[in-house]
């Protein structure tokens, strides 16, 4: 009777699990066309082919980093949410990414990691922090024309071709700034006027939209270069500084600037900081792991939170009464009591990351997909398409199975040990 009840399940397992595994092992020993026996050649390709070697290395990184980080974050969240008033709401927010498919999460993080700070959230935050401590230039790529009274001074700075004097208006025209990139509060440039007490002048964008302007002449539609920094330099030393107003006008004291040359320092023109290339060859794997942790930290938090609810409170209170601080209680009482749950979470995530495919496939762009390659993705690339090699694909599948088996054995032994208790 027992065999009769088990037979349908055994037939299903045989057809859906045992036979595919056996066929994959056999297929991995044959060539691309399944006509010639090649032995272990397909397995040797895993360590000789560059793309396959990269996939193996990245899988090791995933196996060591992603489960550990997600488990630690889940533990921290579970412990902290017990002490905050809105703990349940926080748990809900952290667990919500689990309701999103890997494909949808990949699309989300492909946008998060966009290089353009105006589109990518990660670079928008990074650039914002960077610009807080290192202010970006106002006029990147601005430059003078050969007919302008300015010349290069090395290092990206520009100086006037002749010394300036009080009573002689100074013109500092520049080009190379897109009108759309000009300060929003910039006003039409003011024609420089002579001043007998100061060295005064105007710095402006010598470009008329629609054409018709003249070089070195302030035309009605041309805007002042608000915020441009101007330095008076004599004998290699800065003797006075000024900042252009909204209409481009500026003035320097004659007693210090008269007879000096004016310099526009390179800080006015350095390129705008565009953040980090998250999906470049060097950071694409950590970036994808970050997306994975965002999804699975909530899973770890819920399981660890359930285990934490079963921890006897009298043990924690007894430790506090004996003089233990919160860190000692956490390290010596909470974590050891949660060890079985932590092992379950860690093992589950290790099995999961060995099979990760869709997240890497969606987040990593084509130019960096070889650098983010993992075994499951290489399995797909080797098994499908015009250049498919089912022998290599089957070898990768068998290797993945062999990698999962030790983790499963450890998990089964742990479950049996727990059941005996």
């Amino acid at each position: 009777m027992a065999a009769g009840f088990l037979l349908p399940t055994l037939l299903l397992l045989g057809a859906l699990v045992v036979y595919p595994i056996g066929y994959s092992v056999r297929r991995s020993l044959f060539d691309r066309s399944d006509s010639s026996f090649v032995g272990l050649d397909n397995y040797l390709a895993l360590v000789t082919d560059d793309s396959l070697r990269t996939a193996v290395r990245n899988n090791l990184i995933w196996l060591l980093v992603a489960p550990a980080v997600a488990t630690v974050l889940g533990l921290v969240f579970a412990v902290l949410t017990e002490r905050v008033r809105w703990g349940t709401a926080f748990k809900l927010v952290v667990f919500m990414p689990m309701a999103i498919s890997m494909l949808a999460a990949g699309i989300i993080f492909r946008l998060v990691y966009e290089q353009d700070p105006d589109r990518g959230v990660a670079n928008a935050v990074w650039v914002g922090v960077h610009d807080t401590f290192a202010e970006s230039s106002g006029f990147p790529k601005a430059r003078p024309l050969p007919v302008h009274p300015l010349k290069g001074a090395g290092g990206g700075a520009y100086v006037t071709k002749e010394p300036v004097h009080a009573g002689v208006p100074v013109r500092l025209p520049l080009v190379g700034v897109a009108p759309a990139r000009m300060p929003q509060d910039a006003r039409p440039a003011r024609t420089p006027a002579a001043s007998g007490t100061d060295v005064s002048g105007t710095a402006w964008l010598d470009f008329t939209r629609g054409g018709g302007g003249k070089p070195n002449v302030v035309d009605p539609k041309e805007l002042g270069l608000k915020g441009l920094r101007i330095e008076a330099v004599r004998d290699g030393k800065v003797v006075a500084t000024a900042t252009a107003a909204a209409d481009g006008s500026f003035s320097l004291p004659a007693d210090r600037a008269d007879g000096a040359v004016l310099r526009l320092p390179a800080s006015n023109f350095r390129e705008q900081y565009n953040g980090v290339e998250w999906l470049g060859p060097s950071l694409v794997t950590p970036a994808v792991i970050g997306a994975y942790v965002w999804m699975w930290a909530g899973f770890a938090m819920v399981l660890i939170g359930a285990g934490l609810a079963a921890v006897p409170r009298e043990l924690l209170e007894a430790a506090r009464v004996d003089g233990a601080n919160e860190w000692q209680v956490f390290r010596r009482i909470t974590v050891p009591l949660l060890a079985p749950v932590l092992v379950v979470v860690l093992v589950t995530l290790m099995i999961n990351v060995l099979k990760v495919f869709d997240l890497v496939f969606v987040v990593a762009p084509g130019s960096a997909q070889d650098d983010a390659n993992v075994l499951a993705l290489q399995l797909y690339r080797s098994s499908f398409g015009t250049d498919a090699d089912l022998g290599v694909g089957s070898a990768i599948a068998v290797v993945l199975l062999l990698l999962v088996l030790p983790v499963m054995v450890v998990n089964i032994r742990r479950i049996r040990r727990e059941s005996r208790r």
Side-chain angles (χ1 to χ4, degrees):
M1 184 177 295
F5 280 110
L6 290 174
L7 185 61
T9 302
L10 293 176
L11 290 176
L12 283 174
L13 285 174
L16 300 179
V17 178
V18 178
Y19 172 74
I21 292 175
Y23 180 81
S24 295
V25 172
R26 189 203 72 82
R27 186 67 181 84
S28 68
L29 303 175
F30 285 79
D31 65 357
R32 182 191 301 264
S33 61
D34 198 20
S35 59
S36 300
F37 180 80
V38 295
L40 299 178
D41 287 354
N42 291 325
Y43 293 93
L44 293 176
L46 295 176
V47 294
T48 57
D49 185 84
D50 288 340
S51 60
L52 294 174
R53 213 164 41 230
T54 301
V56 172
R57 186 187 71 239
N58 286 340
N59 254 105
L60 290 176
I61 294 172
W62 273 87
L63 196 62
L64 295 174
V65 175
V69 173
T71 303
V72 170
L73 282 178
L75 175 62
V76 171
F77 290 157
V79 172
L80 292 182
T81 50
E82 282 205 331
R83 299 176 173 273
V84 297
R85 184 176 181 183
W86 300 98
T88 303
F90 180 80
K91 286 182 180 180
L92 178 63
V93 171
V94 174
F95 188 74
M96 278 179 63
M98 285 297 300
I100 303 173
S101 68
M102 284 279 198
L103 177 63
I107 294 173
I108 291 171
F109 274 86
R110 183 67 178 267
L111 295 174
V112 167
Y113 291 132
E114 275 278 355
Q115 179 70 36
D116 185 358
D118 293 332
R119 299 181 60 190
V121 175
N123 262 345
V125 174
W126 192 269
V127 170
V129 173
H130 174 274
D131 290 349
T132 300
F133 299 98
E135 187 177 357
S136 60
S137 65
F139 308 102
K141 297 184 179 179
R143 66 192 185 280
L145 292 174
V147 297
H148 287 159
L150 291 165
K151 63 180 181 179
Y158 299 101
V159 297
T160 54
K161 295 176 181 178
E162 302 292 338
V164 298
H165 299 281
V168 180
V170 182
R171 299 172 185 268
L172 300 178
L174 292 172
V175 296
V177 183
R181 303 288 296 183
M182 291 289 288
Q184 294 183 354
D185 53 351
R187 292 166 52 192
R190 188 178 72 180
T191 302
S195 172
T197 58
D198 296 319
V199 173
S200 60
T202 300
W204 80 99
L205 179 63
D206 195 13
F207 173 80
T208 303
R209 300 185 72 171
K214 296 180 180 180
N216 283 330
V217 176
V218 177
D219 296 302
K221 295 182 180 180
E222 294 175 348
L223 299 175
L225 295 172
K226 181 189 176 184
L228 188 75
R229 181 178 172 82
I230 302 146
E231 298 174 342
V233 180
R234 179 183 286 112
D235 298 328
K237 296 181 179 179
V238 177
V239 295
T241 61
T243 302
D247 59 1
S249 61
F250 65 91
S251 63
L252 296 159
D255 58 339
R256 284 182 285 173
D258 190 69
V261 295
L262 299 190
R263 180 172 66 187
L264 306 181
S267 58
N268 289 312
F269 313 114
R270 63 172 177 258
E271 291 286 345
Q272 183 179 3
Y273 181 68
N274 287 320
V276 178
E277 190 180 4
W278 298 104
L279 299 182
S282 58
L283 290 178
V284 63
T285 295
V288 181
I289 290 176
Y292 177 88
V293 170
W294 175 77
M295 288 192 66
W296 287 88
F299 167 82
M301 178 194 66
V302 170
L303 289 189
I304 295 172
L308 194 60
V311 171
R313 299 301 172 197
E314 56 270 16
L315 294 179
L316 305 180
E317 294 302 326
R320 293 188 182 102
V321 169
D322 288 340
N325 57 37
E326 292 302 320
W327 169 246
Q328 291 172 325
V329 171
F330 173 76
R331 185 165 61 90
R332 297 181 179 276
I333 306 296
T334 305
V335 173
L337 290 176
L338 286 175
V341 179
L342 295 177
V343 171
V344 171
V345 173
L346 195 62
V347 169
T348 303
L349 294 179
M350 289 175 69
I351 296 172
N352 187 266
V353 299
L354 286 172
K355 302 181 294 181
V356 69
F357 156 73
D358 35 13
L359 199 61
V360 180
F361 185 73
V362 175
V363 174
S367 59
Q369 203 166 85
D370 286 341
D371 300 285
N373 199 14
V374 291
L375 284 174
L377 177 58
Q378 186 60 42
L379 169 61
Y380 167 80
R381 296 168 69 177
S382 298
S383 302
F384 302 96
T386 56
D387 194 35
D389 187 340
L390 290 178
V392 174
S394 299
I396 296 173
V398 173
V399 169
L400 280 174
L401 175 65
L402 294 176
L403 290 174
V404 170
L405 281 179
V407 182
M408 290 297 299
V409 169
V410 170
N411 205 26
I412 292 172
R413 286 182 176 177
R414 184 197 58 76
I415 293 173
R416 287 177 176 174
R417 218 169 24 243
E418 291 292 325
S419 63
R420 292 193 195 104
R421 293 177 183 177

